[in-house]
Amino acid sequence: MLAVDTGLVEEWLSEFKTLPEASISSYATNLKDKSALISSLYRVIQEPQSELLEPVCHQLFEFYRSGEKQLLRFTLQFLPELMWCYLAVSASRDLQSSGCIEALLLGVYNLEIVDKEGHSKVLSFTIPSLSKPSVYHEPSSIGSMALTEGALSQHGLSRVVYSGPHPQREMLTAQNRFEVLTFLLLCYNAALSYMPAISLQSLCQICSRICVCGYPRQQVRKYKGVNSRIPVSSEFMVQMLTGIYYAFYNGEWDLARKAMDDILYRAQLELYPEPLLVANAIKASLPQGAMKSSKEGTKCIQVEITPTSSRISRNAVTSMSIRGHRWKRHEQAENGNDATEIGNFIIPEISVTNVSGEKTGNGEKSRALAENDAQHIQGVQETATDPRTDSKCMPEIRRQKSVRKMMEDGINSSGRVQF
């Protein structure tokens, strides 16, 4: 560690001890803007053998229990790096050098599981219903949902999941280690919107390191220092994915993509269903090639806007709309029948034989032709009087008249039908 970093950290340690009570609020507000100090504190935490590590951990714990929100968030931003340092030291079985880090993690955990009166907290989480729209989905995009009796009985009911009460811990063991770390990462994710970029970068990096250390992918990532495998739980990996999903859209696209791939790689090796489900869901929802740069600032998620009330009322299905729909269908059916009758205008046949097929005399032929012609002319006139078909049937009427005239001329000249 450089001498400049040592000087900044020592000044920070001494400054808070002499700070009056009335100046704590303004001090906490200005503390988050001291980027050089924050970088120096990260370097102190990354060196377990540093002499400044123990006073730094003590100071961070004092910040956390002071009750000032700005100081509490200042401590929370170092939580991912503290977890990695503790897990790395635990994997190397050098527990003595991680005593101050373990004490800080246990102190934060024991403060978070109780309220101000000292009673155990019970956290509640409301699971959203897929039948109602949210900022993440629209029911119309999911598909048709069967309105069964059971579905209707559950409609509008919100399902609440409870977490806690959590027991207090005096030390971290192999049995309770990830129970404590998972809860701490849950507290960190609750304050993600207040975390600076350096904290999100640290989160992505430690998630990637935890998942690949001791596996063949470590050689691909070129991670050094810890070569043994670090055990993780399924719940802890889900909490890691929660923070990484936020980092995707807040300036750390490249690091978040690498961390998610490494978590997916480890989840496949461990056969953990929950992180596999969450990681694949995040991967499927990411825009393809839309966010290349990791330094473009805060991103937004594009969602479909729920239609307004006026749009819903205009398209609502009512008894009047159903009745009008039936009328339209009835009118269309009538128009179709009329069009069929017009299109199928049939030319009457002129028969020169009787029903039995026997030939008749010339007088009978003339009478039969005259009757057929009269019926045919009457049908043509009735059809032509329809204004809808008047213009369409004029060529057909002229053709029928010409046929009749030719037939009459043939009968008068020779007494026989000529073709």
Side-chain angles (χ1 to χ4, degrees):
M1 187 172 63
L2 299 176
V4 179
D5 298 329
T6 304
L8 285 174
V9 173
E10 289 177 348
E11 181 182 356
W12 170 70
L13 291 172
S14 60
E15 182 181 7
F16 184 72
K17 293 178 180 178
T18 60
L19 196 67
E21 193 74 21
S23 304
I24 291 181
S25 179
S26 59
Y27 170 80
T29 304
N30 298 327
L31 193 61
K32 63 180 181 180
D33 299 327
K34 298 181 178 181
S35 57
L37 172 63
I38 294 174
S39 301
S40 300
L41 290 175
Y42 269 104
R43 281 188 279 272
V44 170
I45 296 173
Q46 291 167 359
E47 293 186 9
Q49 307 300 331
S50 175
E51 297 179 354
L52 294 174
L53 181 58
E54 185 174 352
V56 164
C57 291
H58 178 74
Q59 182 96 318
L60 292 175
F61 180 69
E62 291 295 329
F63 279 6
Y64 203 88
R65 71 174 185 175
S66 65
E68 184 68 33
K69 289 185 177 180
Q70 297 287 348
L71 295 179
L72 184 146
R73 293 165 185 164
F74 184 83
T75 301
L76 276 180
Q77 69 177 321
F78 300 102
L79 212 54
E81 197 69 36
L82 290 168
M83 290 181 183
W84 162 248
C85 292
Y86 170 75
L87 291 174
V89 172
S90 300
S92 62
R93 301 186 184 280
D94 186 12
L95 299 179
Q96 294 181 355
S97 59
S98 65
C100 56
I101 296 179
E102 180 180 346
L104 174 58
L105 294 175
L106 281 173
V108 174
Y109 169 80
N110 290 326
L111 285 175
E112 281 293 335
I113 62 174
V114 295
D115 54 16
K116 295 181 179 179
E117 287 76 19
H119 303 296
S120 297
K121 286 183 181 178
V122 178
L123 304 178
S124 60
F125 306 90
T126 303
I127 299 179
S129 175
L130 293 179
S131 62
K132 295 183 178 181
S134 69
V135 296
Y136 299 105
H137 82 291
E138 281 288 334
S140 58
S141 62
I142 299 176
S144 60
M145 303 180 68
L147 293 177
T148 60
E149 184 178 354
L152 291 175
S153 63
Q154 297 294 328
H155 182 73
L157 299 179
S158 58
R159 182 183 175 189
V160 182
V161 178
Y162 298 95
S163 173
H166 297 275
Q168 290 200 358
R169 304 293 183 182
E170 296 181 357
M171 63 180 300
L172 293 177
T173 63
Q175 287 76 23
N176 63 21
R177 180 178 298 155
F178 279 99
E179 179 185 346
V180 174
L181 295 181
T182 301
F183 183 81
L184 290 176
L185 200 54
L186 174 66
C187 299
Y188 174 84
N189 290 334
L192 272 174
S193 58
Y194 302 101
M195 296 297 105
I198 190 172
S199 182
L200 296 178
Q201 295 169 9
S202 174
L203 173 68
C204 296
Q205 291 169 357
I206 69 106
C207 290
S208 185
R209 286 177 178 271
I210 290 173
C211 291
V212 303
C213 280
Y215 291 91
R217 182 171 282 201
Q218 183 179 3
Q219 305 300 326
V220 179
R221 299 300 190 198
K222 299 180 180 180
Y223 293 149
K224 298 179 180 180
V226 180
N227 296 321
S228 56
R229 297 180 181 180
I230 299 176
V232 291
S233 66
S234 176
E235 294 80 9
F236 185 74
M237 296 179 73
V238 171
Q239 292 300 325
M240 287 195 298
L241 287 169
T242 303
I244 288 171
Y245 185 50
Y246 179 84
F248 265 113
Y249 297 94
N250 288 273
E252 305 301 332
W253 176 267
D254 297 332
L255 288 176
R257 188 59 183 261
K258 184 187 296 184
M260 190 192 68
D261 291 341
D262 292 338
I263 292 176
L264 195 57
Y265 167 79
R266 181 65 179 272
Q268 290 171 347
L269 294 176
E270 300 286 353
L271 295 179
Y272 286 153
E274 291 85 359
L276 279 174
L277 176 64
V278 176
N280 284 314
I282 293 175
K283 190 174 182 179
S285 67
L286 293 176
Q288 299 296 328
M291 303 167 65
K292 296 295 184 181
S293 176
S294 62
K295 302 297 180 184
E296 294 181 358
T298 303
K299 307 297 188 301
C300 61
I301 305 175
Q302 295 182 357
V303 294
E304 184 180 353
I305 304 298
T306 305
T308 58
S309 58
S310 61
R311 178 180 171 184
I312 295 175
S313 61
R314 187 168 61 250
N315 297 331
V317 178
T318 61
S319 59
M320 290 296 295
S321 63
I322 294 175
R323 198 175 304 164
H325 182 66
R326 290 176 179 173
W327 290 339
K328 290 179 180 179
R329 292 183 59 185
H330 184 67
E331 292 176 357
Q332 291 175 358
E334 289 183 349
N335 293 336
N337 293 335
D338 294 342
T340 304
E341 293 176 358
I342 295 171
N344 296 335
F345 186 86
I346 301 173
I347 301 174
E349 296 180 357
I350 302 174
S351 177
V352 295
T353 61
N354 57 10
V355 177
S356 60
E358 297 177 356
K359 293 184 178 181
T360 58
N362 290 338
E364 294 177 355
K365 293 178 185 178
S366 301
R367 286 194 300 270
L369 288 174
E371 292 175 359
N372 289 334
D373 289 343
Q375 293 176 359
H376 170 63
I377 293 172
Q378 183 180 359
V380 170
Q381 290 176 352
E382 291 176 356
T383 306
T385 56
D386 191 350
R388 293 178 295 177
T389 60
D390 197 7
S391 59
K392 296 181 181 179
C393 298
M394 287 301 294
E396 201 69 31
I397 294 172
R398 286 195 293 269
R399 189 166 70 88
Q400 294 298 328
K401 288 183 178 180
S402 62
V403 171
R404 181 177 62 82
K405 188 174 184 303
M406 291 172 60
M407 296 293 296
E408 290 177 352
D409 293 341
I411 294 172
N412 294 333
S413 60
S414 60
R416 296 180 182 179
V417 178
Q418 297 181 355
F419 292 93

